[in-house]
Amino acid sequence: EKGTYDHYMLKEINDQPAAMRKIIQEYQDEDENLKIDPAIIKQLRDADRLYVIAAGTSYHAGLIGKEYFEKWAGVPTEVHVASEFVYNTPMLSEKPLFIFISQSGETADSRAVLVEIKKLGHQSLTVTNVPGSTLSREADQTLILHAGPEIAVASTKAYTAQIAVLSILAQVAARELGKDTGINLMTELAKVTTAITAVIDDAPAIEQIVNEYLETTRNAFFIGRTMDYYVGLEGALKLKEISYIQAEGFAGGELKHGTIALIEENTPVFALATQERINLNIRGNAQEVEARGAKVCMISMEGLEQDGDTYVIPHVHEMLTPLVSVVVYQFIAYYAALHRGNDVDKPRNLAKSVTVE
Ligand code: M6R
């Protein structure tokens, strides 16, 4: 039930700190060690490469998951859009493990891949919010997101839960492979929970951003580099899905290879800077579009901020910033849709789960 909230989406954005706490609790034993089903650990140990299969927002979470598996555990990982993979299957490694990410566990495109790879005898793991869903029943193993039911068509808490659960899975993979990642993940996820709460408490300030940048525009761009680029893809999807503003996410470095031609006077550009390594580069990209008339909304993180930034999220571990920065984009999409008088929870032409290929 949405209770006192005006919309399910707003409730579900607000549910995220509780979902984080639940995940921390569910994936930890009494001694505070990360806890994952031994059968899944065996799958990870036996795999020489991970193939993450998903659609939409779940695909975007998979892109972040790849960073964890490769940077922490050193396991090569590919992320594929399910509907492409079925008809354009890449070369597979000798011992692939297929990880299906799906909030609903009912996405037909992902199921089509599962059916195919089962015929080939490959191992599968479904990461889903819905126990007993089709993808959960049909895969060899399941990891549950514990985000609670997600009703709004626009996915919010499932995305952050997917990233959190993938981070736990990747840490466990690293542990099993004897890699020291130098991070106490659960402590860092607890800090993330606090940071998400701070952003939620600051929703009125984010609504002001919408007033300033999105009231009349027909398009908007989201730029970032590395993980911030992936969050930009998700921010753009959220905005187009419910506000119907044409929105696209781009890698900051790609602008000069074509996209920058789209920039006109007052085109809104959301630029995200939460990674120290690329902080200056993305700011350079922001200046490039600003010089061509764009209205840049610079979103950065405490410790990396500069004078004039529009919004600064609280400081969290660099690998976990998507969990916090995306909440800003969720609110931006929510208020943009609300201000345009759209049906926030049930956008036109869309269904909550896409059960046809
Ligand atoms: O249930 P799933 O995670 O498999 O759904 C995948 C996509 O259909 C879904 O994430 C969709 O992109 C959302 N409506 C985006 O907000």
Side-chain angles (χ1 to χ4, degrees):
E1 253 315 298
K2 65 178 191 277
T4 56
Y5 292 99
D6 291 340
H7 299 98
Y8 282 107
M9 184 184 179
L10 187 60
K11 173 187 180 289
E12 289 158 10
I13 293 172
N14 278 270
D15 280 347
Q16 291 176 108
M20 284 296 133
R21 282 192 286 272
K22 175 84 174 152
I23 290 166
I24 293 171
Q25 183 196 331
E26 290 288 334
Y27 285 105
Q28 199 163 232
D29 66 17
E30 315 76 63
D31 302 324
E32 300 194 346
N33 294 316
L34 301 183
K35 183 182 72 180
I36 293 270
D37 185 338
I40 295 173
I41 294 182
K42 179 165 186 330
Q43 285 186 314
L44 289 170
R45 293 191 70 105
D46 291 347
D48 63 354
R49 185 175 281 258
L50 307 179
Y51 292 80
V52 175
I53 309 291
T57 287
S58 299
Y59 169 74
H60 294 155
L63 294 172
I64 308 287
K66 171 186 163 81
E67 300 294 308
Y68 299 152
F69 288 118
E70 294 199 334
K71 301 235 160 64
W72 285 338
V75 184
T77 304
E78 296 179 20
V79 193
H80 293 274
V81 169
S83 57
E84 280 297 303
F85 191 97
V86 210
Y87 299 103
N88 198 3
T89 310
M91 278 179 68
L92 299 180
S93 66
E94 268 173 36
K95 292 182 285 176
L97 168 60
F98 283 82
I99 302 182
F100 294 87
I101 307 180
S102 175
Q103 187 286 131
S104 62
E106 302 297 342
T107 297
D109 292 317
S110 299
R111 178 161 186 263
V113 179
L114 177 57
V115 168
E116 286 308 311
I117 64 106
K118 277 175 74 170
K119 283 188 204 152
L120 298 171
H122 297 315
Q123 280 289 307
S124 52
L125 165 66
T126 289
V127 180
T128 182
N129 204 23
V130 185
S133 57
T134 306
L135 286 169
S136 167
R137 280 185 279 110
E138 295 184 359
D140 295 313
Q141 304 296 334
T142 299
L143 272 178
I144 297 295
L145 295 174
H146 298 292
E150 192 184 68
I151 310 293
V153 166
S155 184
T156 52
K157 62 178 177 174
Y159 173 82
T160 44
Q162 285 161 346
I163 291 175
V165 169
L166 290 172
S167 75
I168 292 168
L169 191 62
Q171 277 293 315
V172 169
R175 182 181 76 195
E176 293 301 316
L177 296 169
K179 304 244 162 61
D180 181 10
T181 60
I183 162 174
N184 182 330
L185 183 64
M186 290 314 200
T187 307
E188 298 301 332
L189 284 177
K191 288 185 201 160
V192 161
T193 308
T194 311
I196 294 175
T197 306
V199 174
I200 289 172
D201 291 344
D202 210 21
I206 305 174
E207 184 166 15
Q208 282 310 312
I209 295 178
V210 171
N211 290 335
E212 200 185 321
Y213 289 83
L214 293 176
E215 284 312 272
T216 55
T217 190
R218 290 179 55 232
N219 60 0
F221 298 110
F222 290 73
I223 61 170
R225 285 171 175 248
T226 68
M227 292 208 287
D228 292 336
Y229 161 45
Y230 301 148
V231 176
L233 295 176
E234 172 60 8
L237 175 61
K238 217 91 300 176
L239 188 65
K240 55 190 148 191
E241 182 175 29
I242 58 170
S243 77
Y244 316 141
I245 295 170
Q246 171 153 27
E248 302 300 336
F250 292 107
E254 276 289 287
L255 284 166
K256 57 184 174 299
H257 298 289
T259 313
I260 203 162
L262 292 168
I263 301 296
E264 294 173 346
E265 203 57 35
N266 286 327
T267 305
V269 175
F270 295 91
L272 190 56
T274 72
Q275 306 288 307
E276 191 171 9
R277 217 155 39 93
I278 47 75
N279 191 21
L280 296 181
N281 311 58
I282 192 67
R283 288 174 185 281
N285 298 140
Q287 282 165 4
E288 284 158 19
V289 289
E290 209 155 33
R292 285 150 182 95
K295 214 165 149 184
V296 173
C297 174
M298 180 57 93
I299 300 167
S300 63
M301 180 169 75
E302 239 168 43
L304 299 177
E305 79 270 35
Q306 291 185 7
D307 284 351
D309 288 357
T310 317
Y311 196 81
V312 182
I313 63 166
H315 186 275
V316 291
H317 191 285
E318 264 207 339
M319 292 289 277
L320 301 176
T321 59
L323 292 165
V324 184
S325 58
V326 78
V327 181
V328 180
Y329 286 161
Q330 293 169 351
F331 275 120
I332 286 177
Y334 173 76
Y335 287 117
L338 191 68
H339 292 188
R340 284 171 189 238
N342 298 349
D343 186 340
V344 171
D345 286 336
K346 285 199 173 64
R348 68 189 183 200
N349 309 341
L350 285 166
K352 180 62 183 161
S353 51
V354 185
T355 52
V356 287
E357 263 186 76

